[in-house]
Amino acid sequence: MNDFSTIQQHRGRLVLDHRTRAGDLWPVVLKNAVLNILTLWFYRFWGRTNVRRVLWQKTTLNGEPFEYTGTGKELFIGFLIIFFAVLLPLVIAQEVLAVFAADLGITATGVLGATFYVVILFLIGLAIYRARRYRMTRTVWRGIRGTMTGKAGPYALRYLGFFVLSVVTLGLAYPFGRMRTFGRLMGETGFGDRSFDFEGSSRPLYARFLILWLPVAVAMAAIVLALNSIDTAALENGETDTAATDGAAAFLAFVPFVGVLVAVYGTIALIAYRVREMQHFADCTRFEGLRFKLDVTGWSLFKLLFGNFLISLLTLGFGLPFAQMRLFRYFCDRLTINGNIDIDAIVQSSAEKPSFGEGLADAFDMGAV
Amino acid sequence: MDNFPAHFHDGQTAARHDVAVALAAGGLHIAADDGRFLHLWRYEDLRTSERPRVNAPLRLSTAATPDARLVVDSANFYDGLRHRAPALFARGLDRPAVRRRWVIGLACVAVAAVALWKGVPVLATSLAPLVPAEWVRGWGEALSAQITGDARQCEDPDGLQALQQMTDRLLADAGSTLPTTVVVIDHKMANAFAAPGGNVVILRGLIDEAETADEVAGVLAHELGHAVKRHPTQALIRYAGVSLLLGLIGGDSNIIVETVAEVGGLALLLSYNRDMEREADIFAYDLLQRTNIGADGLISFFERLSDETGEADDPLSTYLSTHPSTRERIAALRQAYVNLPSPRPALDQDAWQALRSICR
């Protein structure tokens, strides 16, 4: 097989680099804008492909670029399939339910409504997995394709399950759920015939998570208690001078102010949590002999996210590729890969590529790129 | 023959092989470091995934082994290949495949636009009569309940009898295939509407506002027009059709797109609505003539409405409105107007007074 080359052992570092500058993207952004308008956004699948081709191509691993081999046609067909097979039936079911809600009664409507949400959550899980699989199988480096080694169904069930668990535990199970879902996704991501590994506990995440969760939970609980302690029956009867009602009313007067405080604190604490989460996820990820380290900070992450938000807003959405470029650059700059790997021994995967892409993810408007 | 150094990936492993490439007669001659022949990639089979640039490495593959990659970084090689494989360097609209795609794409957009404009009303008109009455009735009842809210139905026996008299007279010639009922709701708004399923709801305010029974009969005839022609069901189908097509075309990409699509869709639906209103007016006129009531009441009602509301008649207001301008409606009625030799009022004086107090 390899009788005419030396097997290279990469020791030390692999360097992931991203070198897009705004100048590279302007032609694509303008072309996409014009063609989208001309075709009433029919063109968007090809536009998205154009952007990805540039972003992938400008990302290099040890100087060698990635390739994006997806096509607009694949995205388009994926969209059509999902639109007619999933979206349309869902919308019709929702409308029919709304019309006949009165006939069915509260319990039946409630049950059907809950089923509806469960189905949507499951579909979101499917969408995440399938979008990932599409992008991985359309990513090529040194001629070798990316892969996903699992199936979307089990992942979607897992996603749904951990979502429900989070809700039931009032959010406390969130880091645990994240480790389990992200971990599954990462563990089934592969390159050639090898795959990533993901192993770790969610315990290191809980310190920062509780810093976020506790104050917000306490504030919410206080508001709910205050609302409950206002005896509405007493109010209707004109008895407005109970001490409890006075205290609660006074507290509730502060609710908007408290709400703003909670929102600001929540945003800061959430960013801090995300930073820890990203670092931990990187630490738990392995590929063959490689270890990963992500060097993110709260302030830099905030600048990235806020900047991207401003870009999208000020360009009315047309400037999204620039936001995506910033995202790529951010991660490539801050990711360090260390360890040993025998790159040459990685073999092309014999798995079939999925034929079309991403309809579900497109429908749910997800995926950063 | 010049040998250019290059990198080769065979698409089977991730290994990078150092090779030498030459621009041979039929294709690219790829040889290993030690000179051993490896592959010949014919020029017509060559593919590249990105636009070739003169000062960037060329990444080539071949149709036979699409996973393999040959990377050559040389300006001389670029020039040489340019002459031997010109098709490779043609980009964009130079290539027939791309031109074909554009023609198909623009044709699709044109078809979608036409479908939206013309196809939706046609579909709605033909599908509406096929929708089973029971489905529509349930929906109609829910809708009526929503609009009338807590207001009660008016049930004064004499008033009901007068209402029934007027309704029967109109229904006899209306050609309705659905069982149609007319009710009066105790609400001060001067309005009437046809609910999906064949029920007409008149609000008390309309009866208060009217000066003669013929005026009420005129409005009733108009609403019966909506009911008989199944306009409410058509409206639902049109709305669904427009939403579907806009969803297909616009997708969920951009906040502007969504807004433009919604506004456009709304404008389209309003224009369909105005067409249906005109249709109901024509139906009302014909029905009033056939039942020997005459259209005078309807016209005088519109005229009073127009005077009182001081309706804006500029094109933009009309464009944004669910109904054609009242002036236009009066003009259309007048144009079709043929005097009836001996019209009979919709209700005699006693019945009219009874109807006026139906909500007592």
Side-chain angles (χ1 to χ4, degrees):
Chain A
M1 198 167 55
N2 297 331
D3 50 352
F4 48 83
S5 74
T6 49
I7 297 196
Q8 295 165 296
Q9 282 273 61
H10 273 269
R11 290 185 194 281
R13 276 193 168 196
L14 281 175
V15 179
L16 195 65
D17 197 20
H18 186 80
R19 285 250 166 268
T20 315
R21 280 155 304 130
D24 297 320
L25 281 178
W26 271 117
V28 171
V29 167
L30 285 174
K31 176 177 170 185
N32 285 355
V34 167
L35 290 177
N36 271 334
I37 293 175
L38 271 183
T39 62
L40 300 176
W41 259 263
F42 196 69
Y43 181 75
R44 61 190 182 279
F45 310 101
W46 289 264
R48 222 172 283 162
T49 303
N50 292 345
V51 172
R52 286 183 197 172
R53 301 253 297 259
V54 173
L55 291 176
W56 260 238
Q57 181 195 323
K58 292 285 185 184
T59 309
T60 61
L61 183 62
N62 278 13
E64 294 180 66
F66 286 85
E67 266 178 64
Y68 180 73
T69 60
T71 69
K73 185 162 91 169
E74 285 167 350
L75 291 181
F76 176 59
I77 296 183
F79 168 74
L80 281 183
I81 294 178
I82 295 303
F83 187 83
F84 285 104
V86 175
L87 276 188
L88 208 54
L90 271 181
V91 166
I92 293 178
Q94 195 179 28
E95 292 297 322
V96 166
L97 182 67
V99 165
F100 289 107
D103 288 343
L104 291 169
I106 292 205
T107 8
T109 312
V111 165
L112 280 173
T115 318
F116 195 73
Y117 280 118
V118 164
V119 167
I120 297 270
L121 276 173
F122 181 79
L123 287 176
I124 292 180
L126 277 184
I128 294 174
Y129 200 91
R130 292 177 60 113
R132 180 86 158 222
R133 180 169 29 226
Y134 179 77
R135 277 168 231 186
M136 287 308 297
T137 53
R138 266 59 179 179
T139 302
V140 171
W141 186 74
R142 282 195 175 183
I144 304 296
R145 280 192 303 275
T147 64
M148 289 295 280
T149 60
K151 286 194 177 314
Y155 175 78
L157 281 176
R158 176 174 272 251
Y159 182 84
L160 171 66
F162 281 108
F163 187 92
V164 168
L165 185 67
S166 283
V167 168
V168 157
T169 57
L170 299 176
L172 268 177
Y174 179 75
F176 181 68
R178 281 282 287 166
M179 280 297 283
R180 288 286 181 278
T181 50
F182 182 89
R184 173 57 60 93
L185 204 62
M186 203 65 223
E188 292 182 352
T189 306
F191 176 70
D193 62 342
R194 312 295 162 86
S195 106
F196 283 83
D197 292 309
F198 189 90
E199 248 182 68
S201 135
S202 55
R203 228 177 303 130
L205 296 176
Y206 269 94
R208 289 247 184 132
F209 182 70
L210 287 174
I211 293 178
L212 163 69
W213 188 85
L214 272 173
V216 173
V218 164
M220 297 287 197
I223 295 178
V224 167
L225 277 171
L227 280 171
N228 274 344
S229 75
I230 291 186
D231 193 348
T232 46
L235 270 179
E236 277 175 22
N237 292 342
E239 300 164 22
T240 47
D241 54 351
T242 56
T245 316
D246 275 348
F251 175 75
L252 284 173
F254 285 105
V255 160
F257 177 66
V258 168
V260 168
L261 267 184
V262 166
V264 169
Y265 176 81
T267 311
I268 297 177
L270 184 63
I271 291 185
Y273 167 73
R274 282 277 180 243
V275 164
R276 188 73 194 92
E277 201 189 58
M278 283 195 249
Q279 290 168 342
H280 187 56
F281 282 175
D283 289 339
C284 296
T285 308
R286 297 256 190 288
F287 183 80
E288 299 293 293
L290 298 175
R291 293 181 317 280
F292 301 87
K293 193 156 125 56
L294 202 51
D295 188 13
V296 297
T297 67
W299 179 235
S300 67
L301 184 63
F302 174 77
K303 279 194 291 192
L304 172 74
L305 294 174
F306 190 66
N308 282 355
F309 166 73
L310 279 183
I311 289 177
S312 272
L313 189 70
L314 294 174
T315 62
L316 300 172
F318 286 105
L320 190 64
F322 295 114
Q324 292 164 348
M325 169 190 86
R326 291 179 81 228
L327 195 72
F328 265 62
R329 221 189 300 149
Y330 183 83
F331 279 100
C332 290
D333 285 347
R334 288 165 184 277
L335 181 68
T336 319
I337 312 176
N338 285 314
N340 291 332
I341 183 170
D342 183 7
I343 292 187
D344 297 357
I346 299 177
V347 168
Q348 183 78 279
S349 160
S350 51
E352 292 244 332
K353 325 197 280 185
S355 328
F356 352 91
E358 291 203 10
L360 265 184
D362 183 28
F364 287 114
D365 196 21
M366 57 179 34
V369 183
Chain B
M1 238 175 3
D2 269 344
N3 271 315
F4 298 94
H7 292 136
F8 182 71
H9 304 117
D10 58 9
Q12 285 163 347
T13 75
R16 185 172 76 178
H17 309 297
D18 296 320
V19 297
V21 188
L23 291 159
L28 294 178
H29 177 102
I30 307 172
D33 266 353
D34 53 13
R36 213 165 27 103
F37 169 77
L38 293 174
H39 301 285
L40 179 74
W41 282 7
R42 296 187 317 175
Y43 291 123
E44 56 266 27
D45 294 337
L46 286 179
R47 306 269 180 273
T48 173
S49 63
E50 54 196 65
R51 173 183 239 115
R53 263 191 297 252
V54 68
N55 36 25
L58 271 177
R59 306 185 65 85
L60 303 165
S61 66
T62 184
T65 52
D67 288 336
R69 298 280 181 276
L70 181 70
V71 185
V72 194
D73 193 1
S74 152
N76 290 334
F77 179 81
Y78 179 93
D79 290 330
L81 193 61
R82 198 87 184 274
H83 290 118
R84 290 169 178 75
L88 202 61
F89 292 75
R91 284 276 126 179
L93 289 172
D94 296 333
R95 290 167 35 205
V98 176
R99 281 201 294 269
R100 196 170 44 229
R101 247 180 270 152
W102 270 105
V103 170
I104 296 178
L106 286 171
C108 283
V109 175
V111 165
V114 168
L116 196 66
W117 190 256
K118 288 287 163 219
V120 168
V122 166
L123 193 73
T125 323
S126 34
L127 276 184
L130 301 172
V131 177
E134 308 83 60
W135 293 11
V136 191
R137 184 159 289 253
W139 174 49
E141 277 160 22
L143 208 67
S144 309
Q146 251 180 11
I147 298 181
T148 57
D150 292 331
R152 65 174 183 98
Q153 219 172 313
C154 294
E155 286 170 337
D156 175 78
D158 293 329
L160 281 180
Q161 197 180 31
L163 182 66
Q164 197 60 47
Q165 198 185 328
M166 188 194 303
T167 308
D168 287 343
R169 186 168 162 194
L170 284 171
L171 276 178
D173 276 301
S176 166
T177 51
L178 286 173
T180 310
T181 55
V182 180
V183 297
V184 177
I185 300 285
D186 191 2
H187 195 289
K188 66 176 195 258
M189 225 167 66
N191 214 335
F193 60 88
N199 293 339
V200 174
V201 174
I202 302 179
L203 302 181
R204 186 205 78 224
L206 187 93
I207 301 182
D208 292 342
E209 182 65 34
E211 285 179 2
T212 68
D214 282 0
E215 291 190 357
V216 177
V219 173
L220 183 55
H222 172 97
E223 297 305 330
L224 283 175
H226 284 317
V228 167
K229 302 229 173 246
R230 314 270 248 176
H231 284 170
T233 313
Q234 277 189 31
L236 180 70
I237 298 177
R238 283 172 211 224
Y239 174 73
V242 168
S243 302
L244 182 83
L245 281 169
L246 285 180
L248 265 181
I249 295 178
D252 39 49
S253 21
N254 207 333
I255 192 75
I256 314 182
V257 187
E258 271 191 63
T259 318
V260 167
E262 273 179 39
V263 169
L266 197 63
L268 202 58
L269 289 170
L270 287 176
S271 89
Y272 293 152
N273 241 43
R274 289 193 293 275
D275 288 338
M276 291 195 287
E277 292 297 332
R278 290 184 192 102
E279 214 179 28
D281 279 346
I282 295 173
F283 179 90
Y285 176 78
D286 286 337
L287 184 60
L288 290 167
Q289 294 288 88
R290 277 205 307 279
T291 54
N292 206 24
I293 298 176
D296 289 346
L298 186 60
I299 294 178
S300 72
F301 184 77
F302 278 168
E303 280 177 341
R304 217 168 45 250
L305 193 73
S306 161
D307 287 339
E308 273 170 25
T309 60
E311 183 190 51
D313 213 6
D314 58 282
L316 184 64
S317 301
T318 318
Y319 191 66
L320 295 174
S321 149
T322 54
H323 288 65
S325 75
T326 317
R327 214 148 310 189
E328 183 200 320
R329 301 171 83 181
I330 296 172
L333 285 169
R334 283 206 182 284
Q335 201 178 29
Y337 188 78
V338 168
N339 220 334
L340 282 174
S342 47
R344 187 164 64 89
L347 293 175
D348 60 40
Q349 269 308 312
D350 292 334
W352 173 228
Q353 288 312 318
L355 184 62
R356 296 208 87 187
S357 9
I358 191 175
C359 294
R360 217 36 75 75

